[in-house]
Amino acid sequence: QLQLEESGGGLVQPGGSLRLSCAVSGFTLDYYAIGWFRQAPGKEREGVSCIDSSGDITNYADSVKGRFTISRDIVKKMVYLQMNSLKPEDTAVYYCAADRSSGALQGLCVMARRFFGSWGQGTQVTVSS
């Protein structure tokens, strides 16, 4: 069974940092792309970052580029999102997700919800003074 579980969220001041973790089980990271998404109250879930199945290609939303870094640890079966220089507008529930098992873009870093079939429960990130 493919499962993902986020952790590491919390309250942080503007300009601060957090590292989110996504523990995966039931699959190998070298086959699935992993994405980080976030959803703020009243807004649609949006892509933040993704890493492809090779670990060599990453993508970032323009709003977080230069501030966030996605990485993975194959041995620990973990995916991380290092978030620096946090802003109040980064406040959201953050989700990690694995892409689908098949399809033309399977395993690729495509930051769109419809390409991801398995989701964690989310972790709250609040950036506030």
Side-chain angles (χ1 to χ4, degrees), residues 43-88:
K43 300 181 67 176
E44 293 186 354
R45 193 169 300 185
E46 64 177 356
V48 176
S49 183
C50 59
I51 185 167
D52 79 342
S53 60
S54 75
D56 294 330
I57 299 174
T58 59
N59 196 16
Y60 299 91
D62 288 342
S63 59
V64 307
K65 194 171 298 181
R67 300 189 296 120
F68 291 10
T69 303
I70 190 170
S71 61
R72 71 180 192 179
D73 187 321
I74 294 293
V75 175
K76 294 182 178 180
K77 302 189 72 173
M78 299 285 286
V79 181
Y80 305 103
L81 185 68
Q82 178 66 46
M83 306 185 296
N84 298 326
S85 302
L86 283 162
K87 305 174 181 179

Side-chain angles (χ1 to χ4, degrees), residues 70-115:
I70 190 170
S71 61
R72 71 180 192 179
D73 187 321
I74 294 293
V75 175
K76 294 182 178 180
K77 302 189 72 173
M78 299 285 286
V79 181
Y80 305 103
L81 185 68
Q82 178 66 46
M83 306 185 296
N84 298 326
S85 302
L86 283 162
K87 305 174 181 179
E89 51 263 44
D90 295 318
T91 296
V93 177
Y94 284 71
Y95 302 86
C96 63
D99 75 343
R100 302 184 186 276
S101 299
S102 62
L105 301 178
Q106 196 280 325
L108 304 182
C109 190
V110 181
M111 205 160 50
R113 289 178 294 167
R114 64 189 178 93
F115 292 105

Side-chain angles (χ1 to χ4, degrees), residues 8-10 12 18 20 83 86 90-94 123-127:
V12 64
L18 284 174
L20 304 183
M83 306 185 296
L86 283 162
D90 295 318
T91 296
V93 177
Y94 284 71
T123 185
Q124 176 71 46
V125 173
T126 302
V127 185

